[in-house]
Amino acid sequence: MVTKKKAVKKLQPYEIGELDHYLFGQGNHYEIYKKLGAHEVTAGKKGVYFAVWAPHAKSVSVIGEFNGWDAAADRMERQEPLGIYTVFVPEAKDGQMYKYCIETESGELIYKADPFANYAELRPGTASRITDVSHLKWTDDRWMESRKKWDNKENPLSIYEVHMGSWMRHPGREDEGFYTYREFAEAITKYVKKMGYTHVELMGIAEHPFDGSWGYQVTGYYAPTSRYGTPEDFAYMINYLHRNGIGVILDWVPAHFPKDAHGLADFDGTPTFEYADPRKGEHPDWGTKIFDYEKPQVRNFLIANALFWIEHFHVDGLRVDAVASMLYLDYGKQDGQWVPNKYGGNQNLEAIEFFKHLNSVVLGRNPGTMMIAEESTAWPKVTGNPEDDGLGFSLKWNMGWMHDFTEYMKLDPYFRKNAHHMMTFSMEYAYSENYILVLSHDEVVHLKCSMLNKMPGEGFDKYANLKAAYAFMTGHPGKKLLFMGQEFAQLREWSEERELDWFLLSEEPHQQIQNWYRDLLHLYKKNPALYELDNDPAGFEWINKDDIFRSIFSFVRHSKGKKKNLLFVCNFTPVAREDYRVGVPTKRQCKLVLNSDEKEYGGSGEKRKEIYKPVKKECDGQKYSFAYPLPAYGVAVFEY
């Protein structure tokens, strides 16, 4: 007897099949965002295919403008084994708002935004919007091709950290005056090119309900915030920056999410995205939920999200927020508020494996991109290879350097001799990770003062201190990041509620600081000695790190093969040293390439020689030396 084979239904590309379930269940469906969410399709006729993961829901309906928000109109079909609900709605159209009406196990109805939505209603609204992001227009082929060969270790990386909503606003408008993505693209490009940054890092781009969270409490992981325009506008911005040779980094938040009723918290009436045990699943200090890194589908949600920004929207890197809070089970918790791992320790073993998987996949699939860790502890091998038990990040924020540096700079110059080690200690561990030196938004809020107002003294002293600080940072090994407004010595602390105080640039001291930082950035970009050996001890040499009582630091940055080297001399006291002698490793002439005493930087404008010829006279342990009149808080950079 011949048995007939059961006919297998041929799936449409948008439909979810067995392979999708298998990969999502394993945590390896790296393009799951193309299946879950709302996608415009043609199934006989045009409409929208909705798919949502709600494993413990009793039932799910999609409600929206297309069906009068009627929960009975478009009930979704449950697919096993993972509990993914799907429905095709021919009446649904681009731009319409929608939500999922979820019936929980207890029979309660809850209304949730789509975790995979690509667009959202402008806050305070909380609905998702149907939008098609599958046909974005890109003309940045040259950038994307060159990115494949780009190496963050050997190339210049100077980052301008920006909060879009408060960088610049339209004055006098009845609405909030935000620049759109398109307007911002053109304005920021002009400014960044003038200043000399290589990359822009954008805070708070994924959709979030509360402005005061700065974008670090996300409800729409797959949606560029609607505050500044559509996803197409967002793509235009990335494309525009790339065409002008500027890289884009986004802040990315896989550590926690808010409890807003429309968000991920208790998504199907149970802890779906978060750990079920509140001792693992909640941050008591932040009032937020913690992702369950043990659950494959949750890991998949986050890894696919990282790939979505980098592959679909051409973003060049992600700065991963609050990494330390993910690595430690007891982060920000008291005894009794956390659960040890199976070995009795405080390490989150699932988060560690998540990072290794995340970084291996993102960087493996996208050569030339960056995964950057904001990690504030001494966790080993953050930028080490996963094969060697590292976490696999490209770069790590150097929070130790930032703390020591800012604490030193706050001191009255008279007391700096007692804290001299705070400026030299960082070189003891400079090569243990691939570092970025950061002066970020976190350092200029919550009564910490702006960078200028951290500086001691009044008037000239404040500005001169800041110039010396920025020069030291530029010369120190490590990539660079500075938060917006600090490049022109913003007086007030930053607030997301207003634009930067651009009017300060009408005052000479602020313009002079901007001139100084601009020329430091251009010096940095132009000289491989300042970036190509950041992770190699051969790239840095102290000339004198022990001039404690005069608080002067001198050092050399070497290029590969020592073809072109830069000597930095930084004076951190208000005492001029007219007879200052500095040692050099060679008899070759030294050319003064940057002098903080120039008039355009707020200095005296006193004329100085351009060329200095070392003589055979021992100084600073070097065979050769030359004399240079070093002003109060003076900085001089020489090329040889």
Side-chain angles (χ1 to χ4, degrees), residues 324-478:
S325 76
M326 296 170 65
L327 293 173
Y328 296 97
L329 294 164
D330 58 348
Y331 186 93
K333 297 179 181 180
Q334 306 297 320
D335 288 346
Q337 291 182 324
W338 64 284
V339 186
N341 64 34
K342 63 184 178 183
Y343 303 114
N346 68 342
Q347 301 88 0
N348 188 328
L349 304 178
E350 299 105 53
I352 295 166
E353 290 310 308
F354 165 75
F355 281 132
K356 292 177 181 179
H357 186 179
L358 166 76
N359 292 324
S360 298
V361 170
V362 171
L363 299 174
R365 284 169 57 126
N366 299 280
T369 58
M370 295 174 284
M371 295 295 288
I372 302 166
E374 186 214 11
E375 205 288 313
S376 53
T377 73
W379 189 280
K381 298 184 180 179
V382 172
T383 56
N385 290 326
E387 296 82 5
D388 300 325
D389 208 27
L391 297 183
F393 283 96
S394 317
L395 294 149
K396 169 180 167 169
W397 276 21
N398 195 335
M399 308 295 271
W401 172 85
M402 179 277 300
H403 175 269
D404 288 350
F405 175 74
T406 53
E407 289 304 306
Y408 178 89
M409 291 309 306
K410 288 176 193 172
L411 291 171
D412 183 292
Y414 179 80
F415 296 107
R416 285 178 176 163
K417 58 182 176 288
N418 302 320
H420 196 80
H421 64 284
M422 295 179 91
M423 294 289 267
T424 60
F425 177 63
S426 55
M427 288 311 301
E428 299 293 316
Y429 61 86
Y431 308 110
S432 61
E433 301 277 8
N434 303 328
Y435 282 118
I436 299 182
L437 307 185
V438 291
L439 296 172
S440 75
H441 66 276
D442 279 328
E443 308 319 313
V444 294
V445 290
H446 302 321
L447 304 180
K448 291 181 187 172
C449 298
S450 66
M451 283 306 298
L452 181 72
N453 280 325
K454 289 187 202 305
M455 302 297 119
E458 298 291 333
F460 169 82
D461 290 83
K462 276 192 176 300
Y463 293 95
N465 266 291
L466 191 58
K467 280 195 297 177
Y470 286 165
F472 185 87
M473 176 183 179
T474 302
H476 191 290

Side-chain angles (χ1 to χ4, degrees), residues 52-67:
V52 64
W53 177 58
H56 297 104
K58 192 185 281 187
S59 69
V60 183
S61 301
V62 62
I63 58 174
E65 292 181 300
F66 42 82
N67 62 16

Side-chain angles (χ1 to χ4, degrees), residues 224-378:
T225 178
S226 56
R227 287 165 175 81
Y228 317 123
T230 66
E232 291 79 7
D233 297 332
F234 176 72
Y236 173 93
M237 177 186 72
I238 305 289
N239 194 61
Y240 191 91
L241 286 160
H242 281 175
R243 283 174 61 85
N244 281 277
I246 300 163
V248 183
I249 300 164
L250 296 189
D251 279 3
W252 187 62
V253 192
H256 64 129
F257 56 90
K259 297 178 182 178
D260 295 65
H262 70 287
L264 299 178
D266 293 315
F267 186 75
D268 60 8
T270 69
T272 308
F273 287 89
E274 66 268 42
Y275 287 109
D277 186 337
R279 293 174 300 170
K280 285 188 82 172
E282 295 199 19
H283 274 302
D285 287 350
W286 300 343
T288 53
K289 298 280 192 179
I290 300 171
F291 282 105
D292 182 350
Y293 310 107
E294 195 169 6
K295 211 175 276 181
Q297 296 88 340
V298 173
R299 296 196 304 269
N300 200 149
F301 173 81
L302 291 169
I303 293 171
N305 184 242
L307 291 167
F308 170 76
W309 293 112
I310 284 177
E311 295 179 355
H312 196 77
F313 274 110
H314 293 199
V315 166
D316 302 297
L318 299 175
R319 196 278 294 183
V320 183
D321 183 62
V323 167
S325 76
M326 296 170 65
L327 293 173
Y328 296 97
L329 294 164
D330 58 348
Y331 186 93
K333 297 179 181 180
Q334 306 297 320
D335 288 346
Q337 291 182 324
W338 64 284
V339 186
N341 64 34
K342 63 184 178 183
Y343 303 114
N346 68 342
Q347 301 88 0
N348 188 328
L349 304 178
E350 299 105 53
I352 295 166
E353 290 310 308
F354 165 75
F355 281 132
K356 292 177 181 179
H357 186 179
L358 166 76
N359 292 324
S360 298
V361 170
V362 171
L363 299 174
R365 284 169 57 126
N366 299 280
T369 58
M370 295 174 284
M371 295 295 288
I372 302 166
E374 186 214 11
E375 205 288 313
S376 53
T377 73

Side-chain angles (χ1 to χ4, degrees), residues 500-564:
L500 296 180
D501 294 336
W502 294 103
F503 60 83
L504 291 173
L505 285 169
S506 63
E507 299 174 17
E508 261 194 343
H510 296 276
Q511 182 65 67
Q512 288 160 347
I513 287 286
Q514 189 192 51
N515 293 344
W516 177 245
Y517 197 68
R518 176 201 65 204
D519 289 355
L520 283 170
L521 287 173
H522 284 285
L523 179 81
Y524 172 76
K525 266 196 354 185
K526 198 170 75 176
N527 287 277
L530 292 176
Y531 56 78
E532 68 180 3
L533 292 174
D534 269 331
N535 305 112
D536 187 333
F540 179 88
E541 178 185 0
W542 282 114
I543 296 299
N544 192 338
K545 71 180 177 72
D546 298 318
D547 199 345
I548 294 171
F549 293 101
R550 294 192 296 182
S551 297
I552 297 173
F553 301 86
S554 52
F555 56 87
V556 171
R557 292 300 305 274
H558 295 295
S559 63
K560 283 183 180 177
K562 300 190 176 181
K563 293 174 192 162
K564 188 174 172 185

Side-chain angles (χ1 to χ4, degrees), residues 186-215:
E186 293 176 22
I188 198 73
T189 293
K190 190 175 175 186
Y191 188 69
V192 162
K193 286 175 95 168
K194 170 187 140 183
M195 291 298 294
Y197 298 98
T198 65
H199 288 67
V200 172
E201 180 179 317
L202 300 175
M203 294 166 60
I205 287 300
E207 193 57 78
H208 54 284
F210 177 48
D211 290 15
S213 79
W214 309 334

